Amino acid sequence: MNKVMTRTQHHPAAHPGTRPPTRRDPRRDTRRPGGAPPRARRTPTPHPAPAPAPTPPASALRPAAPAALAPPRVPPQTPRRPVPQPRPTDVFADRLLAVLSGQRPVHSMLRHTVGRAYDDLAHLAETGPLRSLGARPVVRDVGYYVPRPGAFEAFARIGTGDRLRAMAFRLELGRDHRWRCTAVELDGPRRPHPEAD
């Protein structure tokens, strides 16, 4: 009896005149003698991981500041000489000139004058002897005399363009340790004072 093989008809990949596909046993390697199973692939032995490097401090992670942004080196402190304070005669010469030249109002000297000095200053400021249309008047020089402790008698040379004028004033130290002007005069005739009551 002849047996007909019909298996190839059921496999679409089979072509007429070729061998039908055979099944392979994946556990056996027919290329090796005795059909020994294939050797297992060698996997590399894992090496122990290197120890992590110590973490640097946070200050080391910051970028270095450029020299322009770095704080300047402070040299050792040397004792500084105190800044000289202006003498009261210089301060009052500037204040009186500002009033007599119209740069400040007369009442700005109200708390810096005592007695008739305010009235004399107001009278001088009304006439405007140092108001000039040309150069602004400046104090050129200040001199003083100390008749007693706590008092100055001062004079100032005022330059108005090419002309020099003279101003005299007296300062006295009050109980509150503040200097006040007690008299002021400008070159020219003196203003007559009424007799004291």
Side-chain angles (χ1 to χ4, degrees), residues 40-64:
R41 284 188 177 177
R42 280 189 168 182
T43 56
T45 309
H47 297 290
T55 306
S59 60
L61 296 177
R62 292 188 201 125

Side-chain angles (χ1 to χ4, degrees), residues 17 44 62 72 91 111 123 127 130 143 171 183 185 193:
R62 292 188 201 125
V91 172
R111 63 189 180 120
H123 174 72
T127 60
L130 296 179
L171 301 178
E185 293 178 1
H193 290 289

Side-chain angles (χ1 to χ4, degrees), residues 109-110 112-118 180-183:
M109 288 295 292
L110 190 58
H112 301 292
T113 55
V114 183
R116 287 187 286 194
Y118 183 78
R180 288 182 175 84
C181 181
T182 57

Side-chain angles (χ1 to χ4, degrees), residues 72-78:
R73 288 189 173 189
V74 180
Q77 293 292 331
T78 57

Side-chain angles (χ1 to χ4, degrees), residues 74-89:
V74 180
Q77 293 292 331
T78 57
R80 293 185 180 181
R81 286 183 285 181
V83 177
Q85 296 296 321
R87 290 190 303 260
T89 54

Side-chain angles (χ1 to χ4, degrees), residues 15-77:
H15 298 288
T18 59
R19 236 172 120 187
T22 57
R23 185 175 164 200
R24 281 191 171 181
D25 187 1
R27 293 175 293 167
R28 292 195 170 268
D29 190 2
T30 55
R31 294 174 291 171
R32 296 185 178 272
R39 293 183 190 169
R41 284 188 177 177
R42 280 189 168 182
T43 56
T45 309
H47 297 290
T55 306
S59 60
L61 296 177
R62 292 188 201 125
L69 300 178
R73 288 189 173 189
V74 180
Q77 293 292 331

